[in-house]
Amino acid sequence: MPDDQLRLMAETGLLHDLGKMKVPLAILAKPGKLTDDEWKEMNLHPDLGAQLVSDGYRDLPDLVAAVRHHHEKLDGTGYPDGQVRGQIHEMSLCTAVVDVFSALTDRRDYKDAMEREEAFAIMDTLTGRHLEPRLYRRFRELVMDTELVDTPIR
């Protein structure tokens, strides 16, 4: 991957959930299940993030698209636009893989962190419908690489 694409991927990873800063903390940190109205508000974060990012990155439309579409799913059931396989930018598909892994393996106010093997078992079931298989397999290979397994992520 060219350096400019790697840089774009890193920026996308850092900025993809920027829109959550406009979601009330009471929703983000809620210990229990979200109500339908709370989910509607939470589901606005990709669009809100894309608006924020577009102000500072007008010359990087792929970054804006990746932030906006990181919750799209291959089968069209994602949000905010219900895009399907072939419509979703590859950067969004990459971000989706990492975002799901992070959501499963990070401790949140409403759940404990999950072990990587358990997370991968869940992600295996999402491949093809939600996660792009080629990108997911490559991500899994990188994470499970023996040199990386024992190295803390910083």
Side-chain angles (χ1 to χ4, degrees), residues 7 16-17 21 24 29 60 69 74 79 87 94-95 133 138 149:
R7 199 169 17 265
H16 74 280
D17 275 341
M21 68 183 235
L60 293 173
H69 297 123
L74 297 174
Y79 61 93
Q87 296 176 314
C94 289
T95 305
R138 184 65 184 128
V149 169

Side-chain angles (χ1 to χ4, degrees), residues 6-60:
L6 285 173
R7 199 169 17 265
L8 181 65
M9 186 176 288
E11 289 174 345
T12 301
L14 293 170
L15 298 172
H16 74 280
D17 275 341
L18 186 65
K20 285 185 176 179
M21 68 183 235
K22 293 202 169 222
V23 175
L25 187 57
I27 292 174
L28 289 174
K30 184 175 178 178
K33 289 184 117 187
L34 299 181
T35 66
D36 288 345
D37 286 340
E38 290 167 336
W39 269 117
K40 286 178 188 169
E41 194 156 356
M42 177 68 86
N43 288 353
L44 294 175
H45 85 270
D47 190 44
L48 295 169
Q51 291 170 18
L52 290 167
V53 170
S54 69
D55 291 341
Y57 293 88
R58 294 186 198 286
D59 58 333
L60 293 173

